[in-house]
């Protein structure tokens, strides 16, 4: 059933790779991602669009005067089979905001496990394309994802929204996705690094990466680069965990066995942090080893309030999906030129010493749509 799509993609990809329009997805990642600040310097007209759009996202919905007669079709492919509730909340929020905007829609969602289900995601992508959606919401982590996404860009439809990435790719400057939306991984990591490295300017630490790809580069590598400025702080181990809690648990146990005087662990995701936390609990080392979370979902907040997790960065979670709904509304209203290339949501640093009432207020803001009925 999907052979015509594969043939089409292969034919067009051959032409454009030969012309140099796209760089191979297997190319070195160095310099591949453009920081938001650098992107705005190259595209100054985007700054005002981003500011105006962010204001719309933060405000209450302003519905269409008249709903669209033909429902728009939205396909969503997410690595939602993990402890982090970010992805499922994303779908719930998108649906609720679209309804408030008076947009008629149909959604098909496809979920999988991060990293290990790359082949399944390929099948899901074929199924999504066969459904002929108007919009495809996807994410980017492993290198193979880039090749899949390039096929959509080459085809020109459906319109592509990339979730959980705010740093445009250098090789996609000619044919851009409709929207990059999410939270700046580098900015969030810098918030964590500033506090963690102030507390541990010397000592020993371990790095628990996600999988080889975007998240590890933007979170893990950002931290190690900043930590390298402290000559008395030594990186004693690093592991690619595939975002798997059990692998993170075993990696942490191995590090603790070799380095019983470990001072700090940097975890690149919620599941990784929870796996490391289990290992620290079993060895009664919560007070000795500083451990972070990343994202600020329910399970991280729970561990933070219990004093087991030391700090995390909390995304104003729902804003990223509100941005997708607002961009779709603008597009079907003939205002697509007002949609910025990037939406980067707000991130707040939390620690186990943060006042509980403050955390509750931030949760209300972050989960203003998804706090119920996920």
């Amino acid at each position: 059933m999907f052979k015509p799509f594969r043939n089409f993609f292969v034919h067009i990809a051959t032409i454009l790779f030969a012309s140099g329009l796209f760089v191979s997805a297997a190319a070195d990642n160095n310099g591949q991602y453009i920081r938001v600040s650098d992107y705005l310097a190259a595209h100054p007209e985007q700054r005002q669009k981003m500011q105006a759009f962010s204001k719309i996202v933060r405000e209450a919905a302003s519905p269409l005067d008249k709903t669209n007669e033909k429902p728009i079709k939205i396909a969503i492919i997410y690595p939602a089979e993990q402890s982090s509730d970010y992805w499922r909340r994303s779908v719930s929020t998108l649906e609720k905001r679209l309804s408030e905007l008076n947009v008629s829609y149909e959604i098909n969602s496809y979920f999988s496990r991060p990293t290990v289900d790359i082949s399944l995601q390929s099948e899901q992508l074929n199924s999504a394309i066969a459904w002929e959606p108007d919009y495809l919401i996807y994410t980017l982590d492993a290198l193979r994802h880039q090749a899949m996404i390039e096929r959509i860009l080459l085809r020109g439809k459906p319109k592509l929204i990339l979730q959980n990435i705010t740093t445009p790719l250098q090789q996609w400057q000619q044919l851009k996705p409709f929207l990059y939306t999410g939270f700046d991984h580098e900015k969030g990591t810098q918030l964590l690094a500033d506090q963690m490295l102030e507390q541990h300017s010397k000592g020993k630490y371990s790095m628990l990466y996600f999988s080889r790809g975007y998240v590890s580069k933007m979170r893990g590598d950002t931290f190690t680069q900043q930590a390298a400025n402290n000559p008395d702080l030594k990186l004693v181990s690093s592991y690619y965990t595939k975002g798997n809690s059990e692998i993170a648990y075993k990696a942490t146990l191995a590090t603790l066995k070799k380095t019983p005087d470990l001072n700090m662990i940097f975890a690149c995701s919620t599941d990784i942090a929870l796996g490391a936390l289990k290992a620290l609990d079993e060895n009664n080392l919560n007070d000795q080893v500083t451990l972070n979370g990343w994202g600020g979902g329910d399970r991280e907040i729970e561990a933070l309030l219990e004093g087991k997790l030391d700090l995390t960065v909390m995304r104003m979670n729902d804003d990223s999906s509100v941005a997708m709904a607002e961009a779709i509304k603008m597009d079907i209203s003939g205002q697509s030129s007002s949609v910025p290339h990037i939406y980067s949501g707000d991130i707040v640093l939390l620690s186990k010493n943060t006042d509980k009432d403050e955390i509750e207020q931030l949760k209300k803001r972050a989960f203003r749509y998804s706090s119920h009925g996920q």
Side-chain angles (χ1 to χ4, degrees):
M1 177 171 59
F2 305 125
K3 187 175 180 180
F5 293 107
R6 291 199 296 268
N7 290 343
F8 175 85
F9 290 148
V10 170
H11 174 67
I12 297 297
T14 301
I15 295 172
L16 293 185
F17 276 111
S19 70
L21 180 58
F22 278 146
V23 177
S24 170
D28 185 8
N29 274 347
N30 293 332
Q32 189 172 2
Y33 307 108
I34 307 172
R35 297 177 181 178
V36 175
S37 57
D38 293 337
Y39 192 82
L40 290 176
H43 303 274
E45 78 287 351
Q46 286 293 310
R47 186 178 299 275
Q48 186 174 354
K49 286 185 179 182
M50 287 177 67
Q51 291 172 348
F53 189 71
S54 293
K55 184 174 183 293
I56 291 171
V57 169
R58 294 188 186 104
E59 293 176 343
S62 178
L64 294 170
D65 293 332
K66 183 180 180 182
T67 189
N68 46 304
E69 293 183 5
K70 182 181 179 181
I72 58 167
K73 297 168 68 174
I74 305 169
I76 299 174
I77 301 177
Y78 279 164
E81 301 295 340
Q82 53 180 299
S83 297
S84 172
D85 52 9
Y86 177 76
W87 300 104
R88 293 183 184 275
R89 285 183 182 275
S90 179
V91 178
S92 171
T93 297
L94 177 64
E95 292 174 336
K96 291 175 182 178
R97 186 71 170 199
L98 285 172
S99 295
E100 286 186 358
L101 291 171
N102 204 23
V103 174
S104 179
Y105 66 90
E106 298 175 16
I107 288 181
N108 266 350
S109 298
Y110 304 83
F111 294 155
S112 62
R113 295 171 297 169
T115 304
V116 296
D117 283 341
I118 299 295
S119 296
L120 173 60
Q121 290 163 8
S122 298
E123 295 172 9
Q124 292 173 338
L125 180 59
N126 281 329
S127 296
I129 294 300
W131 186 51
E132 297 185 350
D134 301 292
Y135 301 91
L136 172 67
I137 302 174
Y138 201 55
T139 190
L140 172 66
D141 185 52
L143 288 174
R144 279 183 60 185
H145 286 170
Q146 294 183 30
M148 294 185 225
I149 292 168
E150 283 165 2
R151 295 170 188 172
I152 303 299
L153 293 174
L154 293 168
R155 189 168 183 254
K157 60 181 182 180
K159 292 191 175 181
L160 181 64
I161 297 174
L162 285 182
Q163 168 75 300
N164 201 35
I165 172 171
T166 62
T167 49
L169 269 73
Q170 188 72 48
Q171 65 262 42
W172 295 350
Q173 291 297 289
Q174 298 301 316
L175 292 176
K176 297 179 176 67
F178 176 56
L179 177 70
Y180 291 92
T181 181
F183 302 88
D184 192 331
H185 301 278
E186 184 178 40
K187 178 181 177 182
T189 298
Q190 286 172 343
L191 290 173
L192 291 167
D194 287 345
Q195 185 156 323
M196 294 174 76
L197 296 177
E198 181 180 352
Q199 182 178 349
H200 297 287
S201 59
K202 59 182 179 179
K204 301 174 182 178
Y205 82 98
S206 176
M207 170 58 64
L208 295 179
Y209 285 107
F210 202 74
S211 58
R212 295 182 184 276
Y214 178 73
V215 171
S216 290
K217 179 178 176 63
M218 300 309 295
R219 295 182 186 178
D221 287 354
T222 294
F223 186 89
T224 57
Q225 289 164 10
Q226 197 159 330
N229 294 324
N230 296 349
D232 294 326
L233 182 63
K234 182 181 179 182
L235 175 63
V236 295
S237 67
S238 60
Y239 294 87
Y240 284 99
T241 67
K242 300 182 180 180
N244 181 280
S245 184
E246 185 66 17
I247 295 176
Y249 163 71
K250 292 178 179 178
T252 302
L253 289 178
T255 297
L256 293 173
K257 185 176 181 180
K258 293 181 180 179
T259 314
D261 57 343
L262 189 72
N263 303 108
M264 181 170 57
I265 297 172
F266 187 87
C268 282
S269 78
T270 297
D271 289 65
I272 296 170
L274 294 175
L277 181 57
K278 179 182 176 184
L280 294 179
D281 274 342
E282 288 183 1
N283 288 273
N284 297 314
L285 290 174
N286 295 95
D287 293 334
Q288 173 184 308
V289 181
T290 297
L291 173 67
N292 69 286
W294 219 111
D298 281 343
R299 295 192 65 182
E300 286 190 5
I301 296 299
E302 180 181 344
L304 198 75
L305 291 172
E306 291 175 353
K308 293 184 176 182
L309 195 65
D310 293 281
L311 71 170
T312 189
V313 279
M314 184 179 188
R315 300 172 285 210
M316 295 300 101
N317 195 94
D318 292 357
D319 286 355
S320 178
S321 298
V322 170
M324 294 191 291
E326 291 290 347
I328 289 170
K329 175 201 168 186
M330 287 182 175
D331 191 39
I332 66 176
S333 302
Q335 303 174 53
S336 59
S337 61
S338 296
V339 178
H341 296 158
I342 304 167
Y343 171 77
S344 183
D346 298 330
I347 305 177
V348 178
L349 180 70
L350 300 179
S351 79
K352 61 184 179 182
N353 298 319
T354 304
D355 184 76
K356 184 176 181 180
D357 290 339
E358 181 181 347
I359 291 177
E360 287 302 316
Q361 289 302 313
L362 287 168
K363 285 176 65 176
K364 289 179 181 178
R365 178 184 166 194
F367 308 128
R368 54 186 168 131
Y369 283 96
S370 65
S371 58
H372 302 288
Q374 291 181 57

PDB file of all heavy atoms in Angstrom, residues 313-329:
ATOM      1  N   VAL A 313      14.488  21.445  35.602  1.00  0.00           N
ATOM      2  CA  VAL A 313      13.914  22.586  34.885  1.00  0.00           C
ATOM      3  C   VAL A 313      12.500  22.204  34.476  1.00  0.00           C
ATOM      4  O   VAL A 313      12.265  21.108  33.955  1.00  0.00           O
ATOM      5  CB  VAL A 313      14.746  23.001  33.648  1.00  0.00           C
ATOM      6  CG1 VAL A 313      15.928  23.853  34.050  1.00  0.00           C
ATOM      7  CG2 VAL A 313      15.206  21.804  32.843  1.00  0.00           C
ATOM      8  N   MET A 314      11.577  23.092  34.770  1.00  0.00           N
ATOM      9  CA  MET A 314      10.166  22.833  34.504  1.00  0.00           C
ATOM     10  C   MET A 314       9.725  23.620  33.276  1.00  0.00           C
ATOM     11  O   MET A 314       9.808  24.848  33.241  1.00  0.00           O
ATOM     12  CB  MET A 314       9.325  23.245  35.713  1.00  0.00           C
ATOM     13  CG  MET A 314       7.853  22.924  35.571  1.00  0.00           C
ATOM     14  SD  MET A 314       6.968  23.415  37.075  1.00  0.00           S
ATOM     15  CE  MET A 314       5.351  22.702  36.739  1.00  0.00           C
ATOM     16  N   ARG A 315       9.283  22.910  32.267  1.00  0.00           N
ATOM     17  CA  ARG A 315       8.734  23.546  31.072  1.00  0.00           C
ATOM     18  C   ARG A 315       7.314  24.023  31.359  1.00  0.00           C
ATOM     19  O   ARG A 315       6.565  23.338  32.058  1.00  0.00           O
ATOM     20  CB  ARG A 315       8.696  22.546  29.914  1.00  0.00           C
ATOM     21  CG  ARG A 315      10.032  21.989  29.532  1.00  0.00           C
ATOM     22  CD  ARG A 315       9.938  20.868  28.519  1.00  0.00           C
ATOM     23  NE  ARG A 315       9.480  19.621  29.101  1.00  0.00           N
ATOM     24  CZ  ARG A 315       9.811  18.411  28.674  1.00  0.00           C
ATOM     25  NH1 ARG A 315      10.617  18.297  27.641  1.00  0.00           N
ATOM     26  NH2 ARG A 315       9.360  17.329  29.255  1.00  0.00           N
ATOM     27  N   MET A 316       6.959  25.157  30.813  1.00  0.00           N
ATOM     28  CA  MET A 316       5.558  25.547  30.839  1.00  0.00           C
ATOM     29  C   MET A 316       4.873  24.710  29.771  1.00  0.00           C
ATOM     30  O   MET A 316       4.575  25.142  28.660  1.00  0.00           O
ATOM     31  CB  MET A 316       5.416  27.050  30.606  1.00  0.00           C
ATOM     32  CG  MET A 316       6.026  27.894  31.727  1.00  0.00           C
ATOM     33  SD  MET A 316       5.277  27.604  33.364  1.00  0.00           S
ATOM     34  CE  MET A 316       6.501  26.526  34.147  1.00  0.00           C
ATOM     35  N   ASN A 317       4.696  23.462  30.127  1.00  0.00           N
ATOM     36  CA  ASN A 317       4.437  22.313  29.267  1.00  0.00           C
ATOM     37  C   ASN A 317       3.429  22.569  28.144  1.00  0.00           C
ATOM     38  O   ASN A 317       3.692  22.336  26.961  1.00  0.00           O
ATOM     39  CB  ASN A 317       3.945  21.164  30.145  1.00  0.00           C
ATOM     40  CG  ASN A 317       3.974  19.826  29.469  1.00  0.00           C
ATOM     41  OD1 ASN A 317       4.932  19.080  29.596  1.00  0.00           O
ATOM     42  ND2 ASN A 317       2.906  19.496  28.749  1.00  0.00           N
ATOM     43  N   ASP A 318       2.256  23.039  28.519  1.00  0.00           N
ATOM     44  CA  ASP A 318       1.153  23.106  27.555  1.00  0.00           C
ATOM     45  C   ASP A 318       1.345  24.175  26.484  1.00  0.00           C
ATOM     46  O   ASP A 318       0.728  24.107  25.416  1.00  0.00           O
ATOM     47  CB  ASP A 318      -0.172  23.346  28.286  1.00  0.00           C
ATOM     48  CG  ASP A 318      -0.588  22.152  29.135  1.00  0.00           C
ATOM     49  OD1 ASP A 318       0.120  21.131  29.105  1.00  0.00           O
ATOM     50  OD2 ASP A 318      -1.614  22.247  29.824  1.00  0.00           O
ATOM     51  N   ASP A 319       2.187  25.160  26.761  1.00  0.00           N
ATOM     52  CA  ASP A 319       2.363  26.259  25.808  1.00  0.00           C
ATOM     53  C   ASP A 319       2.860  25.783  24.453  1.00  0.00           C
ATOM     54  O   ASP A 319       2.502  26.344  23.410  1.00  0.00           O
ATOM     55  CB  ASP A 319       3.338  27.298  26.368  1.00  0.00           C
ATOM     56  CG  ASP A 319       2.721  28.138  27.480  1.00  0.00           C
ATOM     57  OD1 ASP A 319       1.522  27.971  27.751  1.00  0.00           O
ATOM     58  OD2 ASP A 319       3.443  28.968  28.069  1.00  0.00           O
ATOM     59  N   SER A 320       3.677  24.747  24.456  1.00  0.00           N
ATOM     60  CA  SER A 320       4.211  24.245  23.187  1.00  0.00           C
ATOM     61  C   SER A 320       3.096  23.743  22.269  1.00  0.00           C
ATOM     62  O   SER A 320       3.125  23.964  21.048  1.00  0.00           O
ATOM     63  CB  SER A 320       5.207  23.118  23.467  1.00  0.00           C
ATOM     64  OG  SER A 320       5.704  22.570  22.276  1.00  0.00           O
ATOM     65  N   SER A 321       2.090  23.090  22.850  1.00  0.00           N
ATOM     66  CA  SER A 321       0.973  22.581  22.054  1.00  0.00           C
ATOM     67  C   SER A 321      -0.053  23.659  21.747  1.00  0.00           C
ATOM     68  O   SER A 321      -0.698  23.628  20.693  1.00  0.00           O
ATOM     69  CB  SER A 321       0.308  21.418  22.797  1.00  0.00           C
ATOM     70  OG  SER A 321       1.225  20.368  22.950  1.00  0.00           O
ATOM     71  N   VAL A 322      -0.202  24.607  22.658  1.00  0.00           N
ATOM     72  CA  VAL A 322      -1.037  25.774  22.354  1.00  0.00           C
ATOM     73  C   VAL A 322      -0.474  26.478  21.130  1.00  0.00           C
ATOM     74  O   VAL A 322      -1.227  26.921  20.248  1.00  0.00           O
ATOM     75  CB  VAL A 322      -1.097  26.732  23.569  1.00  0.00           C
ATOM     76  CG1 VAL A 322      -1.761  28.052  23.179  1.00  0.00           C
ATOM     77  CG2 VAL A 322      -1.851  26.096  24.728  1.00  0.00           C
ATOM     78  N   ALA A 323       0.837  26.553  21.051  1.00  0.00           N
ATOM     79  CA  ALA A 323       1.481  27.184  19.894  1.00  0.00           C
ATOM     80  C   ALA A 323       1.127  26.458  18.601  1.00  0.00           C
ATOM     81  O   ALA A 323       0.866  27.088  17.569  1.00  0.00           O
ATOM     82  CB  ALA A 323       2.995  27.209  20.089  1.00  0.00           C
ATOM     83  N   MET A 324       1.085  25.133  18.633  1.00  0.00           N
ATOM     84  CA  MET A 324       0.719  24.376  17.429  1.00  0.00           C
ATOM     85  C   MET A 324      -0.715  24.683  17.013  1.00  0.00           C
ATOM     86  O   MET A 324      -1.000  24.887  15.827  1.00  0.00           O
ATOM     87  CB  MET A 324       0.887  22.876  17.690  1.00  0.00           C
ATOM     88  CG  MET A 324       2.326  22.452  17.923  1.00  0.00           C
ATOM     89  SD  MET A 324       2.577  20.655  17.928  1.00  0.00           S
ATOM     90  CE  MET A 324       1.745  20.178  19.427  1.00  0.00           C
ATOM     91  N   ALA A 325      -1.616  24.731  17.994  1.00  0.00           N
ATOM     92  CA  ALA A 325      -3.019  25.020  17.688  1.00  0.00           C
ATOM     93  C   ALA A 325      -3.173  26.420  17.097  1.00  0.00           C
ATOM     94  O   ALA A 325      -3.908  26.616  16.120  1.00  0.00           O
ATOM     95  CB  ALA A 325      -3.864  24.883  18.953  1.00  0.00           C
ATOM     96  N   GLU A 326      -2.486  27.375  17.669  1.00  0.00           N
ATOM     97  CA  GLU A 326      -2.584  28.758  17.177  1.00  0.00           C
ATOM     98  C   GLU A 326      -1.986  28.892  15.780  1.00  0.00           C
ATOM     99  O   GLU A 326      -2.502  29.635  14.936  1.00  0.00           O
ATOM    100  CB  GLU A 326      -1.883  29.706  18.150  1.00  0.00           C
ATOM    101  CG  GLU A 326      -2.583  29.868  19.493  1.00  0.00           C
ATOM    102  CD  GLU A 326      -3.902  30.634  19.381  1.00  0.00           C
ATOM    103  OE1 GLU A 326      -4.167  31.251  18.333  1.00  0.00           O
ATOM    104  OE2 GLU A 326      -4.679  30.611  20.369  1.00  0.00           O
ATOM    105  N   ALA A 327      -0.894  28.162  15.521  1.00  0.00           N
ATOM    106  CA  ALA A 327      -0.290  28.207  14.189  1.00  0.00           C
ATOM    107  C   ALA A 327      -1.240  27.618  13.153  1.00  0.00           C
ATOM    108  O   ALA A 327      -1.373  28.151  12.033  1.00  0.00           O
ATOM    109  CB  ALA A 327       1.031  27.445  14.192  1.00  0.00           C
ATOM    110  N   ILE A 328      -1.927  26.539  13.501  1.00  0.00           N
ATOM    111  CA  ILE A 328      -2.890  25.926  12.581  1.00  0.00           C
ATOM    112  C   ILE A 328      -4.058  26.874  12.333  1.00  0.00           C
ATOM    113  O   ILE A 328      -4.511  27.032  11.185  1.00  0.00           O
ATOM    114  CB  ILE A 328      -3.375  24.581  13.153  1.00  0.00           C
ATOM    115  CG1 ILE A 328      -2.244  23.543  13.081  1.00  0.00           C
ATOM    116  CG2 ILE A 328      -4.600  24.071  12.403  1.00  0.00           C
ATOM    117  CD1 ILE A 328      -2.531  22.254  13.819  1.00  0.00           C
ATOM    118  N   LYS A 329      -4.545  27.507  13.384  1.00  0.00           N
ATOM    119  CA  LYS A 329      -5.634  28.478  13.228  1.00  0.00           C
ATOM    120  C   LYS A 329      -5.226  29.596  12.266  1.00  0.00           C
ATOM    121  O   LYS A 329      -5.974  29.982  11.363  1.00  0.00           O
ATOM    122  CB  LYS A 329      -6.012  29.074  14.578  1.00  0.00           C
ATOM    123  CG  LYS A 329      -7.053  30.185  14.482  1.00  0.00           C
ATOM    124  CD  LYS A 329      -7.030  31.083  15.709  1.00  0.00           C
ATOM    125  CE  LYS A 329      -7.854  32.347  15.472  1.00  0.00           C
ATOM    126  NZ  LYS A 329      -7.745  33.314  16.601  1.00  0.00           N
TER     127      LYS A 329
END
